[in-house]
Amino acid sequence: MPDVIVIGAGISGAATALELAAEGVEVLLLDRYGPAAMASGWTLAGVRQSGRHPAELPLARAVVAQWATLADRLDGPTHYIRQGNLRLARTAEEVAVIRRLVAEQSAAGLDLRFLPDAASVCAVAPAVAETVLAGSFCPTDGHADPVATVESFVRAAERLGAVLRFGEAAEAIEVADGRVIGVRTASGVIPAGRVVLAAGLFGNALLAPLGLSVPIEVPMVTALRSEPAPPQLAPVIGVANADCAGRQEADGRWRVTSGRETWPGALAEEDGRPVMRPSAASIAETVIRFGAVVPAFRAARIERVWAGLIDLTPDGLPVLDAPDAVRGLVIGMGFSGHGFCLGPVTGRILADLAQGRTPALPIVPFRLDRFAGWNAPRAVPTLHG
Ligand SMILES: Cc1cc2nc3c(=O)[nH]c(=O)nc-3n(C[C@H](O)[C@H](O)[C@H](O)COP(=O)(O)OP(=O)(O)OC[C@H]3O[C@@H](n4cnc5c(N)ncnc54)[C@H](O)[C@@H]3O)c2cc1C
């Protein structure tokens, strides 16, 4: 009988399993498909502090300090590259957005620089089009390989004793007298007194029978990956209104994403993994948008396209909480399009909550009960990338 069952082997669940296993906790990591099958595989995988909500900035700053040595800790690859995040302005309105972002985040202590013209932007990244008007640059941001990173977390957790069960879905979280007693799957009930729910956008299906839910919208994002190309771009590129983003991976492949799109609601399965196909129009639009800010991308030969889904909460912030209503339940969901970077600290926080400890980082803004009677405006577009 495990002490803790972690549902979901994306970066959040895999990192939690590692933290718990490292403490000698008997942990079972359960995934309906396998590691990085959903958002943690669909992601752009920017590792950034810039563009974060003030509530998330302490977590992002703490985690960026860990990414450089994460591969050593995991004894497995992350392909982490710290060469900055460049956010571009293409219109006068976007210049104002970038200027405000730099002022706010510099005041919060982040090294975020305003680049006032195309020349200063191109000095940082010569591949950027000279038509851009301005930008912000955070030199300590970067990117990583999401699938390799999640696999490395999973293998490190397994080496420390975590038990892996992949290809098996949690069908229900079993509760008696207000306390978790196990997880039901097709093979029966696995008894456990504690459950960490890190099932991404499927988490609500398991919360609903418990009378809980994380309010989320589920927009879709188109993603393109090219064949390896000569290295031309070091930082991750974003834009002020988040309608495209992109980077060059360690092996030169371009990885480029669109802005938010409407998800038609279909999710097929291929080779035991959930898949969505973006429309031809969206692929073309993404090529045109990103190609307009990084012209070298236009010469890339696209090797793979997919669409990813985002678990977007009303305030664009995740839920990291152990709600009083169900003792033994810990929730890590609703990362709103920027939870990959946070994975290593998310794991620490969820493990602390599962162990009944108060996490060292501030998590009050991520309580589930903030949505009780929620009537604030919906989240602004998440600044992914
Ligand atoms: C296109 C795109 C671009 C993004 N860009 C960035 C970026 O640049 N930077 C960044 O930080 N973040 C980015 N994100 C967001 C980031 O990828 C996610 O926030 C993060 O990966 C969430 O990880 P997770 O482990 O919480 O969830 P997921 O990775 O979705 O993992 C959930 C896991 O739970 C499993 N599961 C679901 N239901 C069940 C069940 N019933 N039983 C068992 N297992 C179950 C699934 O199979 C899955 O493996 C992006 C996301 C997308 C889609």
Side-chain angles (χ1 to χ4, degrees):
M1 172 173 165
D3 298 318
V4 182
I5 298 174
V6 177
I7 304 175
I11 193 156
S12 307
T16 307
L18 173 65
E19 296 294 348
L20 289 168
E23 289 185 42
V25 174
E26 300 282 338
V27 57
L28 171 66
L29 179 60
L30 182 71
D31 198 287
R32 176 176 171 165
Y33 304 107
M38 292 179 39
S40 301
W42 297 328
T43 182
L44 181 66
V47 174
R48 65 169 171 85
Q49 308 140 102
S50 58
R52 293 261 170 198
H53 188 285
E56 267 187 358
L57 199 50
L59 278 60
R61 295 182 75 179
V63 83
V64 162
Q66 295 177 22
W67 268 96
T69 53
L70 187 61
D72 293 339
R73 180 179 177 217
L74 301 179
D75 196 15
T78 60
H79 303 296
Y80 172 63
I81 296 172
R82 184 182 288 180
Q83 287 184 328
N85 181 297
L86 190 55
R87 197 174 303 283
L88 304 173
R90 298 157 296 183
T91 63
E93 292 78 36
E94 290 188 355
V95 173
V97 170
I98 297 281
R99 212 184 264 285
R100 198 165 51 243
L101 190 70
V102 172
E104 284 168 7
Q105 296 210 284
S106 305
L110 183 67
D111 178 6
L112 186 65
R113 303 162 192 179
F114 183 65
L115 307 176
D117 49 33
S120 54
V121 170
C122 293
V124 169
V128 171
E130 288 172 358
T131 49
V132 302
L133 299 183
S136 65
F137 184 59
C138 180
T140 51
D141 285 348
H143 55 97
D145 178 329
V147 176
T149 301
V150 176
E151 284 283 353
S152 294
F153 266 113
V154 169
R155 295 304 147 210
E158 188 181 31
R159 283 195 299 276
L160 291 170
V163 174
L164 313 178
R165 268 164 85 161
F166 296 154
E168 185 169 351
E171 293 176 351
I173 298 170
E174 299 287 338
V175 173
D177 297 327
R179 167 161 270 296
V180 167
I181 57 164
V183 169
R184 181 156 47 77
T185 74
S187 7
V189 174
I190 312 165
R194 286 171 282 164
V195 166
V196 176
L197 181 61
L201 58 100
F202 288 155
N204 274 331
L206 296 167
L207 289 178
L210 312 179
L212 299 172
S213 78
V214 175
I216 51 169
E217 273 181 54
V218 185
M220 189 175 97
V221 172
T222 293
L224 316 174
R225 192 167 185 240
S226 79
E227 292 177 354
Q232 279 159 309
L233 182 72
V236 178
I237 299 292
V239 292
N241 76 351
D243 70 7
C244 67
R247 65 182 176 95
Q248 237 181 329
E249 299 179 354
D251 65 2
R253 285 186 162 82
W254 294 92
R255 192 175 181 109
V256 169
T257 51
S258 71
R260 272 206 251 175
E261 299 165 358
T262 303
W263 176 38
L267 191 62
E269 283 185 18
E270 263 174 34
D271 302 326
R273 300 250 152 174
V275 288
M276 278 151 307
R277 302 260 173 260
S279 68
S282 169
I283 295 169
E285 199 174 318
T286 307
V287 169
I288 291 167
R289 282 229 175 97
F290 193 73
V293 287
V294 182
F297 172 65
R298 294 179 189 146
R301 292 170 64 91
I302 302 300
E303 192 178 66
R304 220 188 118 207
V305 298
W306 66 91
L309 298 174
I310 292 193
D311 48 355
L312 182 65
T313 64
D315 58 5
L317 296 174
V319 170
L320 301 171
D321 198 6
D324 294 335
V326 181
R327 293 191 306 287
L329 175 66
V330 174
I331 302 172
M333 280 172 55
F335 290 93
S336 301
H338 37 255
F340 173 73
C341 159
L342 299 180
V345 297
T346 299
R348 178 72 263 149
I349 289 168
L350 298 180
D352 281 340
L353 291 173
Q355 293 282 72
R357 291 188 298 256
T358 303
L361 287 160
I363 60 161
V364 171
F366 313 124
R367 288 176 60 107
L368 177 59
D369 63 11
R370 73 185 188 273
F371 294 124
W374 176 269
N375 61 3
R378 308 296 292 179
V380 290
T382 168
L383 293 170
H384 65 268

